[in-house]
Amino acid sequence: MITRITTPFSYSTAVVAGDYIFLGLHRGFGESFTQQIHEAFRFLKDTLNEVNVPLDNIVKVNVYLKNIADLPEMERVFMDYFEKDKFPARMTTTTEFIDKDCLMMIDGIAYKGLN
């Protein structure tokens, strides 16, 4: 069975397929990178809560940064959300965004079967 958490746009916030949750783009809003990444994590938690899965069940993330200089702050913030030695697999890259105010986005995969 496949379940989708839809948006009014042309993508789903998440798609649950079996024991896996495929997370669509999550971005935050705010003036600073730090504000945006914390808000993105809040949105990720909200999405996962809709399918009763905790944030620490995320097994893979892709992080898209507008500015590579934000990488050290991204590393620090990840430590606020995941226990040491229990980080998801991660790929980080830089890109330009359509929205000029967007400084970062996260997508990924979570595993539902641990609950």
Side-chain angles (χ1 to χ4, degrees), residues 37-45 55 78 81-82 106:
I37 192 168
H38 281 293
E39 193 167 61
F41 270 107
R42 183 174 62 82
F43 292 144
L44 281 168
K45 282 180 170 179
L55 187 70
F78 261 69
Y81 292 94
F82 299 100
I106 300 174

Side-chain angles (χ1 to χ4, degrees), residues 2 13 20 22 33-34 37 41 44 57 77 82-83 88 106 108 110:
I2 296 175
T13 301
Y20 293 92
F22 298 89
F33 176 82
T34 302
I37 192 168
F41 270 107
L44 281 168
N57 280 30
V77 170
F82 299 100
E83 290 182 45
I106 300 174

Side-chain angles (χ1 to χ4, degrees), residues 11 18 26 35 41 48 53 58 61 66 94 99 101-102:
Y11 68 94
H26 284 72
Q35 290 171 323
F41 270 107
L48 290 170
V53 172
I58 293 178
V61 293
K66 185 172 187 175
T94 59
D99 298 333
D101 67 326
C102 186

